[in-house]
Amino acid sequence: MSRPTPVHDATGPTRPPTTPARAQGSAHAKAILLGEHAAVYGAPALAVPLPALTCRAEVTARHGGARGLVGLSCTADPQGVTAPVSPPPPGLVSLVAAVLRRPGAAWLHGVDVELSSTIPPARGLGASAASARALTRALDRLLGARMSETEVFAHVQLAERAAHGRPSGIDALATGSAAPVLLREGRTSTPRVGTEAWLVVADSGTPGSTHEAVAGLRLRFETGPLERERFLSASTTVVDRGLTALADGDLEELGRCLTEAHHLLSALGLSTAGLDSLVTTALEHSALGAKLTGGGLGGCMIALSASRAASARLAALLTRRGAHRAWTARVEAGGPA
Ligand code: MEV
């Protein structure tokens, strides 16, 4: 079916009759199981979706007035209060500008954006990538552009580069994937999960900064290239062992890999006293393994459990022992045979 031709008036092209005046898009949180930071240097990383924590974007078309991202408001849990965000994050401004430059978008002068998110920001759970993905999806629907997943990914990465410099792409991928994601040297695949597993995600209550963590590590590695090589090699080994354990359904070995990964990240100064204390508490109380997740320097940790009941008990315990909040998430069995 041919697309309706936009009508032109004195101020430029107007909205094609079949396109909506507003549209929505959504994305979810993610947790990095293994390989954060090493992923920035092309080493493998493994992330799982956290579909219970979501970000929704609603975009409303503007005709005339300012161009690009005109107004941004955000509703964040747990308060549920909507507040304007001014100035809007540069990454989202660049994203909207890039989408508005697409062929067929000339009728769209600018947009107002409303984000509603239950993903806590600056906690290593992919809040910035999820908001960029939700916004890209909403703009895609508004324009009827039918972007491919590659195009959506490129727009999320554009926003992520503004947010934290050199994103590997693992957050941009995992916030839109229903299954676990493996990223290795820029290529994506779905790992096999041999048996169901449960994660506890616990918030240390202190914000982390991925930008600061990634930039700090880059500086550290510039003066210590040997440390960089050792870290990348050890991280790759632990991810590969973790992948085999995940495929075999060997949760005890997977847990050991998580804890080893925490020690690797902690040795680089990426953990905090709060994260270390939650990791230790989890390991002393039934967790098969535990580690910080995401950029570190604050934010969240994850712990591995073999059952829903064990993860619920551990989440409650971590909340009593200093976690600001805790969630449980199922990692479903499946993936390629
Ligand atoms: C952030 O969630 C994960 C990092 O490895 C950065 C990245 O891969 O872009 C720290």
Side-chain angles (χ1 to χ4, degrees), residues 148-163:
S148 64
E149 174 50 34
T150 310
E151 287 174 286
V152 172
F153 173 78
H155 283 101
V156 180
Q157 281 293 81
L158 178 75
E160 284 289 271
R161 272 194 288 279

Side-chain angles (χ1 to χ4, degrees), residues 37-44 166 168 185 213-219 221-222 228 231-232:
H37 285 288
V40 172
Y41 301 88
R166 254 176 58 172
S168 63
E185 288 167 6
V214 169
L217 202 56
R218 192 179 317 134
L219 268 180
F221 286 160
E222 267 165 25
R228 175 187 125 134
F231 168 64
L232 295 184

Side-chain angles (χ1 to χ4, degrees), residues 30 32 36-37 39-40 164 166-171 210 214 294-295:
K30 59 82 204 172
I32 297 191
E36 54 271 270
H37 285 288
V40 172
H164 66 83
R166 254 176 58 172
S168 63
I170 187 82
D171 291 14
T210 301
V214 169

